[in-house]
Amino acid sequence: MRDLPWRARSLIFFVAATAVALLVFAMKHLPAATLADSARLGSGIFAPRETLKVMGLLVVLVLVTKLAASVAVFESDRGPFGVDQVTPVLMASYLLVGTSGAIIVAASVFLVMLLEQDLAMVKKVFNAGVLIISVSVASAFYWFVAVRTHTDWANSSFTLTAFGLILASNAIFVGTNCYFIAAIVSSVSGSSLLATWRGIVRDVAGPLVVNSVLGLMLATVYYHVGVIAMILVLLPLYVARWVFAQIAGERAAQEATLAALIKAVETKDWYTKGHSERVAVASLQIGGSLKLDPDLMRELRFAGMLHDVGKLGVPTGVLIKPGRLDDAEFDAIKRHPVLGQEVVRGIEFLDEAKRGIYYHHERIDGRGYPEGLKGDEIPLFARILGVADAFDSMTQVRSYRGARSVEAALEELDAHRNTQFDTRMVDALMGALAAGWEPETSPVVVTAVVETGVPALGVDDDDPSAAAALAAHRPLRVDAISDSASASGSGIA
Amino acid sequence: MSNWAAGAQSGNSRSANRSDAPAALLAAFISVVAIAYVMQHGILGGVGIAMAFTGFIAFGEMFRIQLPNERVAAPVASAFAVAYALVIQFGSSSQDYGVAQAVVVAAAGACIGAVSSALLGQFRQGAGPTLQVEEIVRRILTTFAVAAVFRPVAAFMLHRGYVVYGQAGQETQHGLLLALVMLVAAVLGTMADVILVGLARSTRQNAPLDRTLKDEFRESLPIGVPTTSSAVLMALAAPWMSWWALVIFAMPVLLSQFAFSRYARVVSTNESTIRALARVTELGGYTELQHADRVADLSRQVGLQLGLSSKQQLALERAALMHDIGQLSLAEAIPGGRPAPGSPFIPGGATILLELEQQHDLAKKGAAVIRDTKFLDDVADIVERQVDPYRPRGGSLDPTLPLASRIIKVANAYDDLVGGSLEADRRLQAVARLREGAGHEYDPAVVDVLARISQPRLS
């Protein structure tokens, strides 16, 4: 508390004091306030004696939902999709028992917060205070308009006005809540209040309609049927959450299966151990710099993991052959993207990844394989994988050379811009490195490993130098032997 | 279309039609009677409302979800069908129709939805998918069950004044009692549906009835809860909120429609991933083409008949697909050969050509790969023990040996012996060989089922 700036401290005091004042007011005026509301509206609101009963039950309900799961977060492809159970309950409470009642229900959330270990006391007080203020503002708005327009959510003529009013009051609730959160965040971090507020609203506004509908459902069912019937509303939510947990489990299982199998495949070739995983990581870094959306990022990860799976179909003898490869052997290696695509063909919903795997050895200048595509003809994932693949290959030990440093690898990538690599992808990789990504690399060895007596295990065609040689191997492009091939001391130059 | 459905079609499509016939006849009979009744007495409670429900049911029917193990669900359609069977007041209009009208609306909605999705499918894919009459039958019978339980009771309660619907400004008397009756009727109807589906599945897959029903109940619960809640809530709120009740209280079921279709997609993607990756052993030249697929198909069919639960069934299929993964650790593929002089040549990759010790070793290595995933321990256990004999000579039964492992052992041996061959002779020889080993090497129950499945069908 003491280390907070004075603006933050005074804000916290303001919120706490206002909340306490509101609470005292609510306690004093509870029966009167709700009675007045209901008298003016003519129908729909509970009698004072029942009000207390209702509030007791709502307190219980808040406790139950809050304890069962603080916030129910549904994982979706686009990140968490939150339906928290407190907002609907608070909405239902101001619909059912008016402003004063809702304030007391909101205050009971503070009691639940006390049980939570992970939050500092100041934050608990602040959050509960904000909740009380927000619910008072929203409820006051709702009843102010409702009384003047004679709108009654519980009446037999439920109208668009009633629904709109409920949505609007919920929006006010969310907006007020976000305002105070943004105020405290900006007073601590010094960022602009408006920008912070906009950011927070963007994050929480999504489930606004869902929360409003839920609150209305809870209130309706409670009012017309009884508290037991609220189970009918809450149970499906728990089921949905369970299903989303199952989905997350299945997803994790899929990724884990993939990882384990790739690992098993890689045991065949000591030098490429971990390669797939690292290429996946590097591809995600590039994808992150390009700000790809989450769906594509997931696929990109799969593509990275699977890009070399086709190597399993290349005879081991060719993969680990030391020295020069003949035409037939080159052709065998060049088949691995095709074989890889063959493996993943049956996997549903991986179209981008499939294309990426098939074309990941294409070059911008059209000298790659298997199709010899040029420039923008090469699919996005293939261009990303190409750079990630080469980068990892260069920074790892190969049989015919030591690992290069990251700087050396970047120089190499730089040198092959617009011939082998898409310049945007190279920039994206550099951007990720500049932003602090630390790739996993082998220790840099100055002299080539070949000379130190480790058995030579053949040439890695992911290596740009070797890849250049392979590209040069295309019959019509004999002229194109890259100078880097000889410069890097490759065994096949 | 998922793999399960594809597998089912290759199996016993003819007996499927036969087993569903009584239910279909019953549904047809009920519908005809209901239509005749409604034609005579007219539509009560407003044609607009009836038509709207028909529309919602048809709409829901167009978004069926294909769940694991050949389950099909259309939560939105069933919620609206059940809700219409439960509504007794809609705004100010009293819904005093009988069971017949509820059935007619459900039948009409289901048929319209099925036909339009079939037409849409034809339009989109060029080939018309089947109408899936079974789903229409389900919708009709469930609605009938709910309405037959609820409507007479509700009519009685309203008539005797046990329940009084509050008009403007009044509270409903005994709303809770009414809600309870609705809930009981809806639950009974849903249970009838589950039993119906369980019966059909048990006959179709030759699976034991009690296990199938138990499994069906457990698997239907997560989708049944939101559907039933939505239906009851819509019916409960309809008097006050009329059309708004349908909009607002459909949310639980829409949420579950969204969640389950996503779940079905993820499971199916997962399955196709495992299926595809199981092929790496083929690509690496370790195993014969399609071997894993065939072993998985055989195992699946045997598992169904032996009454495995959906969860066990999923683990069994995955284990069967990946049962040869351990071979990736070999430097060279297992060469082909003949297990005994004079027997047919078996192509490379067949584990039955190996020494037992080596087989155990490969099973262990495969299990280690799968265990590495940390999510598929049950699958790893099955793969690890796929070589263990049913009852070693002179030994006793091992109660910890999973049934799934015993199934894979038999299915794998059978496929190693037969391969993709369709020759009746070769199949009979293989079964004969398995029978020789039944009781000690192979589980006799599994061999029996496999023998039945592999019988050349008379066409």
Side-chain angles (χ1 to χ4, degrees), chain A residues 222-266:
Chain A
Y222 195 167
Y223 182 70
H224 289 296
V225 186
V227 70
I228 307 292
M230 285 173 125
I231 292 171
L232 286 176
V233 177
L234 292 175
L235 219 53
L237 283 187
Y238 285 108
V239 171
R241 209 175 48 161
W242 177 82
V243 177
F244 280 104
Q246 300 294 107
I247 292 174
E250 284 288 326
R251 283 230 166 111
Q254 187 189 16
E255 275 173 33
T257 312
L258 214 59
L261 273 156
I262 292 301
K263 214 170 123 190
V265 169
E266 283 176 348

Side-chain angles (χ1 to χ4, degrees), chain A residues 77 155-156 158 160 216-217 221 224 232 239 247 250 252 254 256-258 260-261 263 268 312 343 348-349, chain B residues 222 229 233 240 244 248-249 258 262 268-270 272-273 276-277 280 283 286 318 325 369 372-373 375-376:
Chain A
D77 275 353
N155 202 349
S156 54
F158 186 85
L160 192 60
L216 179 58
M217 278 165 75
V221 164
H224 289 296
L232 286 176
V239 171
I247 292 174
E250 284 288 326
Q254 187 189 16
T257 312
L258 214 59
L261 273 156
K263 214 170 123 190
K268 300 217 51 95
L312 197 74
V343 172
E348 294 166 32
F349 317 114
Chain B
S229 311
L233 287 170
W240 303 284
W244 283 95
I248 287 173
F249 287 96
F258 168 74
R262 169 149 267 166
S268 141
T269 312
N270 214 345
S272 67
T273 308
L277 289 171
V280 294
L283 185 74
Y286 290 100
R318 289 175 175 182
I325 284 299
V369 169
D372 222 32
T373 64
F375 283 91
L376 301 171

Side-chain angles (χ1 to χ4, degrees), chain B residues 130-205:
Chain B
T130 49
L131 261 183
Q132 288 185 308
V133 180
E134 198 187 334
E135 299 311 305
I136 303 175
V137 170
R138 270 176 70 184
R139 200 74 58 235
I140 293 170
L141 291 182
T142 311
T143 312
F144 173 72
V146 176
V149 172
F150 177 73
R151 301 209 78 84
V153 178
F156 175 77
M157 282 175 20
L158 286 172
H159 178 70
R160 297 293 294 266
Y162 292 146
V163 172
V164 179
Y165 257 115
Q167 299 304 320
Q170 283 176 300
E171 268 186 60
T172 301
Q173 300 294 310
H174 304 292
L176 198 57
L177 181 67
L178 189 69
L180 212 64
V181 177
M182 281 182 179
L183 197 61
V184 168
V187 169
L188 283 179
T190 313
M191 269 164 68
D193 178 46
V194 170
I195 291 171
L196 196 75
V197 173
L199 275 171
R201 196 154 77 86
S202 148
T203 357
R204 185 170 60 231
Q205 301 172 340

Side-chain angles (χ1 to χ4, degrees), chain B residues 333-338 345-350 353:
Chain B
I334 303 166
R338 296 173 197 277
F345 180 82
I346 293 177
L353 292 166

